[in-house]
Amino acid sequence: MRLLVVEDDSDVARTLCKLLATEQHEGLVASTAQDGLDLLRDHAIDLILLDVNLPGGLSGYAACEAFRSVRPRIPIILMTGAYTSEADARVARAVGAAEFLRKPFEASALFGAIRRSAAETATVLPALLTFRCEECGADGHIRDVKQETLRIRCPNCGSVRAARREAQEPAKATRVPSTPESLRRRILVVENTEDFRLYLLDLLTEAGHYVVTAREGNDALRLARVWSPDIIITDVLVPGMDGIALCKAVRNDPVLNGIAVVTLTNLRNEDHLAYAEQAGVDLFLLKPIRVDDFFEKLNGLIARRAV
């Protein structure tokens, strides 16, 4: 097996790779989540060993979600030496980790977790299929539920259609314009609709950005203060603090006011645009998005602010 080891402690990473080699496993090492994403795109990976405490302010929990958006079927084992409570193990399971190991752990515990994770993924997880929405052109992923007729709901525009299972292709990367490395940024996505939040996570991660998500405005503001993103992309109508209020809070915070804010809404109302401009929103976009247009405008915003 080829394993991706995401660990910022070089001594620990080397030890893990030597240990893996005793069982004829190959280890590729990344010291940050972004480096891990790059390796994941360029290499065939069978399993990921992911440290919870990574540099750059992004936890392994958030990185786990990003990795799963790029390669949904690869099992991920989270490792930590800082947190030992059962609550942290529950968080690990919630973000999709197959196993949760507390450092230091015995070799037998590691290899047992690897065997269980690989076996569970092979026998339990359904394959993913690719679909393209006929209404808005969005690409997406659906689970192969082994039914002849599938009910497909587009995460971008919400349209629903039925499709024959045999007509769908195995999952592949979504069609995302290539983003130059100089334009890749730390992006916080704020969206309470799960399908659309994961759709944006998928698109932005595939484009090479470093992404974390929040479901409501208050959580997003707290996360922004900890993680310091370059860009916040938020729906106007999110629970708690809405997107316009979130932008005002960012602009009024001397630490955060340099963050670019992009708002998204499906409300065709000139008042919302006026409110957004008054709040200091950098880019106001309408749902459903068109992928090429979305990235053209996002890249334009990034390029302007880089000057």
Side-chain angles (χ1 to χ4, degrees):
M1 292 176 64
R2 176 181 287 168
L3 286 80
L4 173 62
V5 179
V6 187
E7 169 62 68
D8 63 305
D9 187 318
S10 58
D11 291 335
V12 173
R14 280 195 296 270
T15 299
L16 285 171
C17 287
K18 289 179 181 178
L19 189 59
L20 292 170
T22 64
E23 293 285 327
Q24 307 303 310
H25 298 312
E26 176 188 0
L28 298 179
V29 176
S31 59
T32 69
Q34 184 60 61
D35 290 343
L37 284 169
D38 292 339
L39 287 173
L40 194 58
R41 293 189 184 95
D42 296 337
H43 299 272
I45 302 294
D46 300 300
L47 187 143
I48 300 172
L49 294 176
L50 174 61
D51 188 38
V52 166
N53 301 300
L54 295 171
L58 183 65
S59 75
Y61 298 129
C64 183
E65 291 186 308
F67 290 162
R68 285 176 59 79
S69 78
V70 176
R71 297 289 183 269
R73 289 180 56 81
I74 294 180
I76 299 174
I77 298 174
L78 277 169
M79 310 175 294
T80 181
Y83 303 107
T84 58
S85 72
E86 182 57 31
D88 291 292
R90 288 196 296 270
V91 173
R93 289 191 291 270
V95 297
E99 295 275 344
F100 185 75
L101 292 175
R102 295 177 175 88
K103 300 175 186 175
F105 45 77
E106 299 289 338
S108 58
L110 172 62
F111 291 124
I114 290 173
R115 285 192 294 272
R116 289 191 299 273
S117 300
E120 181 179 355
T121 300
T123 59
V124 176
L125 285 182
L128 295 179
L129 302 173
T130 292
F131 81 94
R132 183 171 177 82
C133 179
E134 297 173 353
E135 296 292 328
C136 70
D139 291 318
H141 296 153
I142 56 172
R143 291 189 180 277
D144 183 357
V145 294
K146 306 303 181 185
Q147 297 176 351
E148 290 303 317
T149 302
L150 303 174
R151 182 179 182 274
I152 301 173
R153 183 180 188 277
C154 176
N156 186 32
C157 69
S159 65
V160 179
R161 68 181 177 89
R164 300 292 296 174
R165 176 172 164 267
E166 64 268 18
Q168 309 308 304
E169 299 178 358
K172 56 187 176 183
T174 51
R175 286 175 284 199
V176 176
S178 177
T179 299
E181 189 170 348
S182 62
L183 297 182
R184 295 177 181 180
R185 294 295 185 269
R186 295 154 64 94
I187 300 178
L188 171 58
V189 172
V190 192
E191 171 63 60
N192 66 307
T193 303
E194 182 175 10
D195 287 346
F196 190 70
R197 183 177 66 253
L198 296 178
Y199 177 61
L200 284 180
L201 173 65
D202 197 9
L203 291 177
L204 292 165
T205 301
E206 191 68 28
H209 296 292
Y210 205 6
V211 186
V212 296
T213 67
R215 293 169 175 80
E216 58 102 8
N218 292 314
D219 284 346
L221 186 60
R222 286 191 289 269
L223 185 54
R225 287 171 175 154
V226 173
W227 190 51
S228 300
D230 301 299
I231 302 170
I232 296 174
I233 300 177
T234 178
D235 194 300
V236 169
L237 299 178
V238 289
M241 179 187 297
D242 66 34
I244 302 300
L246 174 60
C247 182
K248 289 180 179 178
V250 169
R251 293 289 171 257
N252 291 329
D253 189 311
V255 176
L256 303 180
N257 60 18
I259 298 172
V261 179
V262 179
T263 53
L264 289 164
T265 183
N266 53 13
L267 300 174
R268 268 63 174 170
N269 187 322
E270 291 297 324
D271 289 341
H272 285 92
L273 177 57
Y275 295 147
E277 291 175 344
Q278 292 169 8
V281 169
D282 295 275
L283 189 60
F284 186 85
L285 301 176
L286 294 175
K287 294 180 178 179
I289 64 171
R290 297 282 179 177
V291 173
D292 289 341
D293 179 67
F294 174 76
F295 279 104
E296 180 180 352
K297 291 177 178 176
L298 181 63
N299 289 345
L301 171 63
I302 294 171
R304 290 194 301 273
R305 292 177 66 87
V307 174

